[in-house]
Amino acid sequence: MVKRQAYQPILITDASRSQNDQLNSRQKRYVLMMGIRVACLVVGAVLVVAKAPLLWLWLPLLGLGMVLIPWLAVLLANDRPPKDEHRLANKFHPRHRDETPPMSLTAEERPHKIIDAEP
């Protein structure tokens, strides 16, 4: 007697995000970070024109932001999420997945469709 394996559905919740979805989120993050860089430049210009107090403190901080933010933005825009086997969370809490491949339904297990033979 042949032992049949039970049908195991594939869960789409375990699927990774699509390439387009990942690209869109990285592009949005990049544009947001570049917007923050522009804001640092504008705030620095306004502080210089207004001769704000503590200008010696604000200008180096804003300059540091204008130098570091583009570097971080490029790094984050080119970064992809880690593969499942490399995620740190999986190192501590590994998933116990059933290694048996999903089986298709046999003819007896499939829902039957009744077709009328009338013309």
Side-chain angles (χ1 to χ4, degrees):
M1 177 179 270
V2 176
K3 183 179 177 184
R4 258 190 308 177
Q5 292 180 336
Y7 174 72
Q8 297 173 348
I10 299 173
L11 299 175
I12 61 169
T13 56
D14 290 339
S16 61
R17 292 173 51 198
S18 70
Q19 294 289 336
N20 287 336
D21 191 26
Q22 290 178 17
L23 179 64
N24 287 337
S25 66
R26 291 195 315 257
Q27 287 174 340
K28 289 175 187 176
R29 188 182 321 134
Y30 180 81
V31 168
L32 176 70
M33 292 181 82
M34 287 295 118
I36 293 171
R37 179 184 186 210
V38 169
C40 286
L41 179 65
V42 170
V43 167
V46 168
L47 289 176
V48 168
V49 170
K51 296 182 179 151
L54 299 175
L55 193 59
W56 59 271
L57 175 66
W58 290 113
L59 286 182
L61 288 176
L62 292 171
L64 189 64
M66 287 187 299
V67 170
L68 289 180
I69 288 176
W71 178 71
L72 288 172
V74 169
L75 285 178
L76 293 175
N78 290 324
D79 189 28
R80 287 190 170 175
K83 294 182 179 178
D84 285 336
E85 64 264 13
H86 298 297
R87 287 189 186 213
L88 186 60
N90 289 339
K91 301 282 184 193
F92 296 115
H93 305 292
R95 286 186 184 172
H96 297 291
R97 296 181 79 154
D98 189 9
E99 297 299 326
T100 58
M103 303 293 291
S104 62
L105 293 175
T106 63
E108 297 85 29
E109 295 171 332
R110 285 190 207 129
H112 295 287
K113 193 177 197 182
I114 300 173
I115 301 173
D116 277 339
E118 293 179 27

